[in-house]
Amino acid sequence: MSAPSMTLYYNAASPFARKVLILLHETGQTGRVSLKPVNVTPVNPHTDLCHENPAGKIPALCLADNNVIHDSRVILDYLDRQHVGNPLIPNEGSARWRRLTLASLADAVLDAAVLIRYETFLRPEEKRWTEWLDNQHEKIARSLAYFEAEAVTELSSHFDIASISLASALGYLDFRQPNLGWRSSYPRLANWYYEVSQRPSMLETQPPA
Ligand code: BEZ
């Protein structure tokens, strides 16, 4: 096998980076990317990463020609065009917009969950904003209720951009909010997640213990 031609700046705890890793596994492209772990938070920027991505955020993908692609959605779109299997982002038609919209809602869960992590882990306790935190939790609850009521059957049809994004989001909730108890409120989602969690791409990319 030839040497990897791309480098992914990532962190094993990042659910956004996990989406990229899952797609690499699902599309047989893991050998094309070398992984560069970085520790980065909003108050602890990483010098090399900031050079590649001025926003200082992971994931960022450095291509063979030294161009850099960043934001997990853009990276997923790029990598999905680099393999010959069925696309994980539908090319056209209503399926494209529906699946991208579900992926976007899953990303909103991720955004809220990561912001909660920053607020409860990084921000000094005396400065925490309870009302703001409550609203992030409510955003997660509304979104999961939508997936439970409106989207589980669709999600079960195939494992694609929407499924990858939601599976990463639920995995991150289990990782950072293990006492949330979302499974009892959303049992259909819990069954779906149990099934997809057995996929090699999910098992190989689990957040650190
Ligand atoms: C985390 O440790 O929860 C985390 C790490 C990187 C990006 C986002 C979240």
Side-chain angles (χ1 to χ4, degrees), residues 11 13-16 40 58 114 117-118 172 175-176:
N11 182 291
S14 163
F16 298 102
V40 55
I58 50 171
V114 170
R117 169 72 178 165
Y118 291 155
Y172 187 72
F175 176 48
R176 288 304 188 203

Side-chain angles (χ1 to χ4, degrees), residues 41 115-124 128 176:
T41 72
L115 289 173
I116 289 169
R117 169 72 178 165
Y118 291 155
E119 184 75 9
T120 53
F121 183 71
L122 291 179
R123 193 186 291 277
R128 284 181 199 154
R176 288 304 188 203

Side-chain angles (χ1 to χ4, degrees), residues 141-162:
R142 282 195 308 270
S143 303
L144 296 188
Y146 179 87
F147 280 115
E148 173 81 4
E150 307 289 343
V152 175
T153 308
E154 282 170 81
L155 284 166
S156 305
S157 65
H158 45 281
F159 196 74
D160 68 354
I161 181 80

Side-chain angles (χ1 to χ4, degrees), residues 15 19 106-107 109-110 113 144 164-174:
K19 291 196 300 172
D107 281 353
V109 173
L110 269 186
L144 296 188
I164 289 172
S165 303
L166 183 59
S168 296
L170 295 174
Y172 187 72
L173 288 177
D174 281 350

Side-chain angles (χ1 to χ4, degrees), residues 181-202:
W182 61 268
R183 286 173 176 77
S184 54
S185 303
Y186 316 109
R188 299 177 71 207
L189 212 47
N191 285 339
W192 172 83
Y193 183 62
Y194 175 79
E195 292 291 327
V196 300
S197 296
Q198 318 299 318
R199 298 177 78 87
S201 65
M202 291 290 292

Side-chain angles (χ1 to χ4, degrees), residues 46-176:
H46 186 280
T47 311
D48 289 356
L49 175 66
C50 288
H51 181 70
E52 305 291 9
N53 174 7
K57 293 169 81 174
I58 50 171
L61 183 68
C62 190
L63 306 184
D65 62 5
N66 285 330
N67 274 313
V68 179
I69 295 183
H70 45 80
D71 184 276
S72 62
R73 297 184 209 198
V74 183
I75 297 173
L76 261 63
D77 194 354
Y78 175 81
L79 290 172
D80 197 35
R81 292 163 194 252
Q82 308 303 314
H83 66 97
V84 293
N86 288 333
L88 299 190
I89 303 173
N91 285 327
E92 57 193 6
S94 58
R96 174 175 174 80
W97 308 117
R98 176 62 177 164
R99 302 304 280 204
L100 284 173
T101 299
L102 292 177
S104 173
L105 189 61
D107 281 353
V109 173
L110 269 186
D111 286 333
V114 170
L115 289 173
I116 289 169
R117 169 72 178 165
Y118 291 155
E119 184 75 9
T120 53
F121 183 71
L122 291 179
R123 193 186 291 277
E125 200 163 351
E126 68 277 7
K127 293 185 177 161
R128 284 181 199 154
W129 188 3
T130 307
E131 192 185 355
W132 184 90
L133 271 173
D134 289 347
N135 275 278
Q136 300 303 327
H137 281 292
E138 280 166 24
K139 187 188 299 189
I140 292 173
R142 282 195 308 270
S143 303
L144 296 188
Y146 179 87
F147 280 115
E148 173 81 4
E150 307 289 343
V152 175
T153 308
E154 282 170 81
L155 284 166
S156 305
S157 65
H158 45 281
F159 196 74
D160 68 354
I161 181 80
S163 320
I164 289 172
S165 303
L166 183 59
S168 296
L170 295 174
Y172 187 72
L173 288 177
D174 281 350
F175 176 48
R176 288 304 188 203

